[in-house]
Amino acid sequence: MSRPVTARVPAKVNVQLAVGGLRPDGFHDLANVFLAVGLHDEVTATPADALRITVEGADAGQVPLDRSNLAARAALALAERYGIEPGVHLHIAKDIPVAGGMAGGSADAAGALLACDALWGTRATRPELLEICAELGSDIPFSLVGGVALGRGRGELLTPLETGGTFHWVFAVADGGLSTPAVYRECDRLREESGTGASAADVPDPEPSQALLDALRTGDATALAAAVSNDLQPAALSLRPALAGTLRAGADAGALASLVSGSGPTCAFLAKDTEAAQAVATALAASGTCRTVRVTSGPVPGARLVGDA
């Protein structure tokens, strides 16, 4: 196949992020309940003499254009596995906030993997693609799968979850990003400071909330709001105290739940319905506590080829 191939990949919100203690390998065991939402990046793969990355859209200037880019690493990993030259131009059209705790970089990696597989005709199996995803990063397998899933291990071991409806979300995007490793380090520091300890021997194994799983299965937004949680939120607030004002503004506007999305700094607000989501978004936009506001819903499918492909 020589024509360009485009993959469309969704953002995610963590409706539960339970973080275990620090493992000897530097990672943390997680019980991570992902929900894919309708904000998407598009990754277009075009034949080229060498690997090249270009980016357009919001915050494009913050995205690396070298081989440290996760999309580039995905293309290189696929090419290496199949013994082919990674000659491809990857163009990323960004709509997912950059460094915002919504897995934008992970989405781009999954999109690049899917698009390059189609462009090069490697015909990798789904398990092979998921294996490459897991090697590249903890959130990338979910970007490929989408929907709603429980991630165990580092978050890469996925179990799809049943959902009974659509959930309405508002995302408040902050100025600047937060480094995921820095947020995890701060989580460990806060645990040590509190006296509980931060190692895997000190912290109970993370488990999914049964109330949360039940709420997802029945599509009950009010019950889901009562069960959402994020163990990284105190660390994100410690590093970026202004996020507390954003969370408060959304709650005051009638959000059913307010939480930091993943490692932040984007804040997520669960609303009762479309009308309530618009009201929360309007209030947040007027609050002066965030840079921009996005309204969407989920769950939505994972990475998909679009157009003729």
Side-chain angles (χ1 to χ4, degrees):
M1 180 182 292
S2 59
R3 289 183 299 168
V5 178
T6 298
R8 195 165 188 253
V9 201
K12 59 83 179 167
V13 61
N14 305 92
V15 290
Q16 181 185 2
L17 182 48
V19 179
L22 181 64
R23 304 187 325 202
D25 64 1
F27 289 102
H28 299 73
D29 282 321
L30 304 177
N32 194 352
V33 181
F34 299 98
L35 189 148
V37 297
L39 303 178
H40 294 84
D41 283 0
E42 290 192 349
V43 182
T44 299
T46 305
D49 292 336
L51 177 63
R52 184 164 69 97
I53 305 287
T54 54
V55 184
E56 67 171 300
D59 305 324
Q62 299 179 38
V63 180
L65 302 181
D66 59 16
R67 294 191 173 201
S68 69
N69 184 295
L70 275 173
R73 290 174 56 199
L76 290 166
L78 184 68
E80 183 179 3
R81 177 172 287 229
Y82 282 90
I84 59 178
E85 286 298 315
V88 64
H89 169 206
L90 295 174
H91 181 72
I92 303 169
K94 293 293 299 178
D95 193 42
I96 302 172
V98 175
M102 299 185 72
S106 296
D108 297 343
L113 203 56
L114 202 61
C116 288
D117 176 61
L119 183 76
W120 295 335
T122 48
R123 299 189 179 183
T125 64
R126 191 74 162 178
E128 283 179 304
L129 291 175
L130 285 169
E131 183 181 325
I132 296 171
C133 286
E135 291 168 358
L136 292 167
S138 302
D139 287 350
I140 300 173
F142 178 72
S143 296
L144 191 69
V145 171
V148 182
L150 168 64
R152 303 303 294 257
R154 294 181 285 109
E156 83 282 15
L157 306 173
L158 296 176
T159 303
L161 296 176
E162 183 183 352
T163 52
T166 297
F167 298 96
H168 300 273
W169 294 91
V170 180
F171 294 95
V173 182
D175 276 315
L178 270 177
S179 157
T180 297
V183 175
Y184 273 98
R185 285 194 298 270
E186 182 67 1
C187 176
D188 294 336
R189 188 190 71 80
L190 291 174
R191 285 173 169 175
E192 290 283 7
E193 189 177 79
S194 72
T196 64
S199 74
D202 300 319
V203 180
D205 290 338
E207 293 295 336
S209 157
Q210 189 58 52
L212 182 130
L213 300 182
D214 291 344
L216 288 169
R217 189 178 65 254
T218 59
D220 187 333
T222 302
L224 180 62
V228 296
S229 64
N230 179 3
D231 286 357
L232 292 182
Q233 183 162 310
L237 289 171
S238 175
L239 295 174
R240 191 74 66 84
L243 295 180
T246 311
L247 294 172
R248 193 162 48 248
D252 290 346
L256 297 176
S258 307
L259 74 161
V260 173
S261 179
S263 58
T266 299
C267 292
F269 304 89
L270 180 61
K272 181 178 65 173
D273 51 31
T274 304
E275 186 178 351
Q278 290 294 344
V280 171
T282 299
L284 281 165
S287 71
T289 64
C290 56
R291 177 163 57 86
T292 187
V293 179
R294 306 294 303 277
V295 180
T296 188
S297 61
V300 300
R304 295 288 185 274
L305 297 178
V306 299
D308 291 343

